[in-house]
Each structure stands twice: as C-alpha cells, then as structure tokens.
Amino acid sequence: ETGVTQTPRHLVMGMTNKKSLKCEQHLGHNAMYWYKQSAKKPLELMFVYSLEERVENNSVPSRFSPECPNSSHLFLHLHTLQPEDSALYLCASSQEGMGQPQHFGDGTRLSIL
Amino acid sequence: AQSVTQPDIHITVSEGASLELRCNYSYGATPYLFWYVQSPGQGLQLLLKYFSGDTLVQGIKGFEAEFKRSQSSFNLRKPSVHWSDAAEYFCAVGGLIQGAQKLVFGQGTRLTINP
C-alpha cells in the first residue's frame, strides 16, 4: 500500500462508547497530523506530531486522545464524545521542514448518536 | 496570526469555461502557499504550492496559481474546466511549529460544473 491510509472509513458510536481511529503512512514521513472537518467550517488542526513527539495540541477537549507509537502510525482515541464531535477526521503526514506539503488520507466519517 | 480567506463559498461555471478561485492570506513573513482539492468522500490532494521564485506556479490537472504579494493573493486558475473538476478547493498558508509544517486553511470554495 502507498500513501496515507485511515481506518475505519465510517464509524457510528454512542456517546458513552470508546473507540479509536487509526492512520498509517507509507511515505517515509516524520510528521503526522489530525484534522477535524465539519460542515461549513474550515479544517481545524487538532494535533501535530513531529518525530513521534506531540508539538501541538490545538485546544482540543480531553475526550480526544492522540497516540503516535512510531513515525508511521497515528491513533486518535475517542471516549465520551458529544454530538458536535460528528465530523470527518482527516489524518495527514509530511516531511519535517518549511514548505513540505502534507499528504492526506481519505478520512474517517464519525457519527455520534 | 496566519489566516486565509476564500471569498467565494460556491462557484458554478460551464464546462470548457475558464476558472479563477480567489484566495487572500495574512502572514507576517514570506508565505508558503498551497492549493488543495477535495472530491466527495476523499481526502485532500495537493494541486500546487508556492515557496519563492517565479510567482506563476504550475500544478497538476492543468491548474496554475499566481502569487501577488502587493494584493496578498494567491488565486487559482484553469483555462478550461472539465466536469471532473467539480470538487471543493482549499487554499492554505503554511508555517512551522518545531519542525513540523502547520497549515491554516480557508473555508473552501465548492465548484460546480454545468454541462
């Protein structure tokens, strides 16, 4: 496989469930990102990992918990979510350094019941 | 702080017509600018990028963009659109956080193509 792969593609969960989103990149990149895409809003950067270290947490509620065990994998652990958390969650990766383009996965469509 | 404005939420053009999507940015230094495209049910795909040098940048799928510092603009153009160009287009400005690229996106412009 090549590029950035996200699983699952669709997820429906109740507010009390715990689930995880997975992202895997096969591009040899060393920075990874989580974004939230809601209807009629710009993409919101949630988390940034560079060399497996979290370098940005953009005021994201604690019910979202990222994990980056190595430079190829990124997880977003979800618990006790709210209906307003329903959105498309996009993962991206890039090489470190200014001007390096980010490569995106196809996203996980999350619906909270 | 960095910001990006895409003034047009939705644009409709006829197939074969020319296209220009507007993007204005705010950034304190020389900006790194990107255009991405998103088709339904998919992630974002990079169309082109500008860092320095020639202010007219060529991208994939026949797209180009022109950087105009005096107008703080980075408009995307295509001389003749195809039905397959119908998608959402995002302009972004890049900055660095501890080595990693941080992108700030505009709200996007949805492009509809009339046959």
Side-chain angles (χ1 to χ4, degrees):
Chain A
E1 267 190 270
T2 58
V4 181
T5 305
Q6 289 187 244
T7 54
R9 291 296 311 276
H10 301 272
L11 179 61
V12 180
M13 56 188 285
M15 291 168 62
T16 57
N17 290 156
K18 289 185 181 181
K19 295 284 184 184
S20 296
L21 309 185
K22 179 183 176 182
C23 176
E24 185 173 0
Q25 60 97 1
H26 304 271
L27 300 168
H29 291 162
N30 49 25
M32 296 188 79
Y33 312 79
W34 279 117
Y35 288 88
K36 177 183 179 183
Q37 187 177 31
S38 306
K40 300 182 181 178
K41 280 183 158 185
L43 270 78
E44 300 171 60
L45 178 65
M46 299 175 72
F47 299 103
V48 180
Y49 277 83
S50 179
L51 299 174
E52 300 155 43
E53 183 180 330
R54 190 193 306 180
V55 298
E56 175 92 342
N57 174 358
N58 232 9
S59 304
V60 179
S62 59
R63 57 185 183 270
F64 294 92
S65 174
E67 179 191 1
C68 187
N70 55 60
S71 60
S72 298
H73 294 87
L74 184 65
F75 296 90
L76 188 62
H77 304 299
L78 316 171
H79 64 97
T80 325
L81 294 193
Q82 304 298 308
E84 62 265 28
D85 297 324
S86 297
L88 182 68
Y89 289 84
L90 291 165
C91 173
S93 70
S94 75
Q95 280 296 94
E96 264 202 323
M98 199 63 176
Q100 296 295 330
Q102 293 180 17
H103 296 255
F104 286 79
D106 287 338
T108 295
R109 173 69 62 188
L110 177 64
S111 298
I112 306 301
L113 300 178
Chain B
Q2 303 156 302
S3 67
V4 175
T5 302
Q6 293 180 247
D8 305 305
I9 302 299
H10 183 204
I11 282 183
T12 300
V13 299
S14 298
E15 191 167 15
S18 63
L19 172 71
E20 182 168 27
L21 302 182
R22 295 183 291 165
C23 172
N24 293 98
Y25 67 89
S26 173
Y27 189 70
T30 301
Y32 290 76
L33 295 160
F34 305 83
W35 273 100
Y36 284 84
V37 60
Q38 184 179 31
S39 297
Q42 295 186 12
L44 279 69
Q45 181 184 19
L46 179 69
L47 283 176
L48 48 78
K49 57 189 178 184
Y50 171 79
F51 303 148
S52 64
D54 193 346
T55 56
L56 186 62
V57 180
Q58 301 298 319
I60 62 171
K61 305 186 181 189
F63 285 93
E64 65 178 27
E66 187 171 11
F67 171 63
K68 292 185 178 180
R69 185 186 299 276
S70 62
Q71 298 176 21
S72 297
S73 70
F74 188 56
N75 294 348
L76 182 72
R77 301 195 295 246
K78 187 169 184 178
S80 175
V81 297
H82 186 260
W83 64 266
S84 60
D85 293 325
E88 187 111 23
Y89 291 80
F90 294 92
C91 181
V93 63
L96 266 187
I97 15 168
Q98 296 184 39
Q101 177 83 258
K102 176 177 180 176
L103 291 181
V104 173
F105 286 87
Q107 285 198 291
T109 298
R110 184 161 61 93
L111 176 64
T112 300
I113 308 295
N114 281 338

